[in-house]
Amino acid sequence: MSDAAPQGFDTLQIHAGARPDPATGARQIPIYQTTAYVFRDADHAAALFNLSEVGYIYSRLTNPTVSALAERIAALEGGVGAVCCSSGHAAQLMALFPLMQPGCNVVASSRLYGGTIQQFTNTIRKFGWSAKFVDFDDLAAVEAAVDDNTRAIFCESIANPGGYITDIPAVAKVANKVGLPLIVDNTTGTPYLCQPLKLGATLVVHSTTKYLTGNGTVTGGCVVDGGTFDWSTSGKFPSLSEPEPAYHGIKFHEALGGMAFTFHSIAIGLRDLGMTMNPQAAHYTLMGIETLSLRMARHVENAQKVAEWLEKHPKVEKVTYAGLDSSPYKHRVATVCPKGAGGLFTVSLKAGYEGCVKLVSDLQLFSHVANLGDTRSLVIHPASTTHRQLSDEQQAAAGVSPNTVRLSIGIEDVADIIADLEQALAKG
Ligand code: PLP
């Protein structure tokens, strides 16, 4: 196929990053289960270490199966490069790592996955970094939170758990005005529903554990770079613009232009932090991504029907699905995620905390697990699990209350999903 031919999403999700194996002609991408790669000679080895030639050195840095996945996700997101890592949480650290120094902060949305709020509130402090949490519906507050030490702005496209949609173009405008990169966690949106780089984001992060793999088999993460941010002018990103002592003084931005972030992430991030994705995990995710568009369309269709049904149920107080007319975020679907509002939302029950705990245990088709984005329908009670370590204020800001359960609607027959909810609610 011609390199110049623009390819559609459904084609890219199968073909991007894939080419017949040069050694065997294998049509499917082999699982390159190897730690190291034989150098042709000493000059070849030196050129690879010098980054003057691209190739494989050691699987903590790169591996052909993992690289194929990175190329595929970059193609689907419209990025110039990507780096895969061992989990979504690893991807978040990898995204911040080239940007931050001790004393720097990230301005983050208060509506994030509970684990990310935890990671940003406490764990990153050990690196001397910090986070300021802001309601991203209040753009003036986002801008006001930025100070001289801010190095990034961070949000989720469709926020976990409530399915709230962030106004990415508006937040990108603020980021642009203050000269900072916008990082969007697109785990729940997926590039099928939402393409943050096209909406003005700088970097996209994923937990590939969720919809991209789609079947609950492996953990993984990915950082995608749009390749458009100029890291060199503000002096705020010395790891990318100045001689990098961790890599014999190379100036990544000068040497690699739009690929600076990706190469830094591999050559230093993966090399020194070691949060590498393994080739088996990449294989499962590559298999999953081949059907991403089909699954996401069905997740959206089912979530819409289930949300509409739940909203009318007498025991239900509120449903947060952004595809509902009652949602304050409905108007953002067309611009931010035009193919639908995702498969994730919360439902609040009039019966309160006890009613939620009972619903979770009375559901039969739904699996009670700490995961989302599986083909199967999943349920969890965030206040006692994923968001448990957060303060009451943080929980409320994230859209979590004691009478809220999170549903990740699967791709089963929707009548069966609704029947399961009906029987469980009848017992409450
Ligand atoms: N981002 C979002 C939106 C998530 O829901 C999760 C996990 O639930 C993560 C990131 C972290 O991903 P992982 O569990 O792969 O580390």
Side-chain angles (χ1 to χ4, degrees):
M1 252 180 275
S2 156
D3 283 350
Q7 295 182 337
F9 191 94
D10 289 4
T11 305
L12 290 173
Q13 71 186 358
I14 295 166
H15 291 281
R19 44 195 75 82
D21 179 49
T24 63
R27 176 61 276 189
Q28 196 43 280
I29 299 164
I31 303 169
Y32 286 92
Q33 197 63 60
T34 184
T35 312
Y37 307 83
V38 179
F39 303 122
R40 289 195 301 273
D41 51 34
D43 287 346
H44 178 222
L48 291 176
F49 274 88
N50 195 38
L51 299 183
S52 51
E53 186 174 333
V54 176
Y56 296 98
I57 298 175
Y58 185 64
S59 284
R60 173 156 34 83
L61 310 174
T62 47
N63 167 284
T65 317
V66 180
S67 299
L69 175 62
E71 196 178 328
R72 186 167 299 175
I73 298 174
L76 294 177
E77 287 285 3
V80 296
V83 54
C84 289
C85 20
S86 51
S87 68
H89 262 14
Q92 291 162 194
L93 291 181
M94 288 284 291
L96 293 176
F97 177 66
L99 316 181
M100 307 280 274
Q101 308 289 333
C104 291
N105 67 70
V106 52
V107 170
S109 169
S110 45
R111 289 196 192 94
L112 296 177
Y113 161 55
T116 305
I117 296 178
Q118 177 60 36
Q119 185 189 47
F120 283 8
T121 303
N122 294 305
T123 303
I124 64 170
R125 287 195 172 276
K126 298 203 174 227
F127 307 140
W129 310 343
S130 60
K132 300 182 187 183
F133 293 100
V134 182
D135 177 356
F136 270 39
D137 281 344
D138 184 347
L139 296 171
V142 176
E143 188 173 339
V146 170
D147 63 31
D148 287 347
N149 294 322
T150 306
R151 292 294 178 271
I153 296 179
F154 187 100
C155 62
E156 291 177 9
S157 52
I158 302 178
N160 174 7
Y164 303 108
I165 296 175
T166 305
D167 189 350
I168 297 173
V171 176
K173 243 187 188 171
V174 175
N176 197 31
K177 184 174 168 197
V178 296
L180 291 174
L182 170 62
I183 307 172
V184 176
D185 181 342
N186 198 25
T187 298
T188 51
T190 81
Y192 179 70
L193 300 178
C194 174
Q195 304 210 324
L197 298 176
K198 294 197 179 122
L199 300 175
T202 311
L203 302 170
V204 169
V205 292
H206 277 284
S207 165
T208 59
T209 317
K210 316 295 181 194
Y211 291 104
L212 294 188
T213 303
N215 44 38
T217 47
V218 284
T219 58
C222 188
V223 188
V224 186
D225 180 16
T228 52
F229 195 88
D230 184 347
W231 305 107
S232 66
T233 48
S234 67
K236 290 185 172 171
F237 306 102
S239 294
L240 295 167
S241 65
E242 303 307 314
E244 172 55 270
Y247 216 92
H248 54 67
I250 190 174
K251 286 186 175 181
F252 277 85
H253 187 81
E254 193 176 284
L256 294 148
M259 289 298 284
F261 181 92
T262 303
F263 271 81
H264 188 285
S265 297
I266 294 168
I268 301 179
L270 287 180
R271 185 195 68 184
D272 294 351
L273 301 178
M275 299 183 286
T276 309
M277 179 182 279
N278 69 72
Q280 288 280 347
H283 169 74
Y284 284 115
T285 305
L286 281 161
M287 295 302 96
I289 283 189
E290 291 192 351
T291 57
L292 180 66
S293 63
L294 307 177
R295 289 186 284 108
M296 291 316 296
R298 182 65 171 262
H299 281 295
V300 166
E301 186 186 326
N302 281 359
Q304 182 74 34
K305 286 180 183 155
V306 174
E308 283 172 10
W309 181 85
L310 278 170
E311 196 174 38
K312 292 191 201 108
H313 197 284
K315 292 188 177 170
V316 167
E317 187 179 283
K318 189 175 158 201
V319 180
T320 60
Y321 191 57
L324 292 173
D325 289 339
S326 58
S327 167
Y329 298 95
K330 170 103 197 246
H331 67 286
R332 290 187 185 157
V333 174
T335 43
V336 177
C337 43
K339 292 207 180 86
L344 186 78
F345 57 85
T346 59
V347 50
S348 305
L349 298 184
K350 292 176 186 161
Y353 184 99
E354 294 308 323
C356 290
V357 170
K358 180 142 179 52
L359 177 76
V360 167
S361 49
D362 285 337
L363 284 167
Q364 290 165 7
L365 183 65
F366 279 78
S367 304
H368 180 198
V369 295
N371 196 17
L372 62 89
D374 198 330
T375 47
R376 277 151 277 272
S377 291
L378 311 174
V379 62
I380 199 159
H381 180 230
S384 60
T385 57
T386 54
H387 288 65
R388 184 187 186 92
Q389 267 99 33
L390 308 190
S391 66
D392 290 350
E393 298 74 41
Q394 283 178 316
Q395 286 196 10
V400 169
S401 60
N403 73 332
T404 303
V405 292
R406 181 185 78 187
L407 301 181
S408 173
I409 303 298
I411 61 173
E412 303 99 332
D413 287 289
V414 72
D416 293 330
I417 300 172
I418 290 175
D420 193 31
L421 287 162
E422 188 163 30
Q423 66 78 23
L425 283 166
K427 289 182 184 154

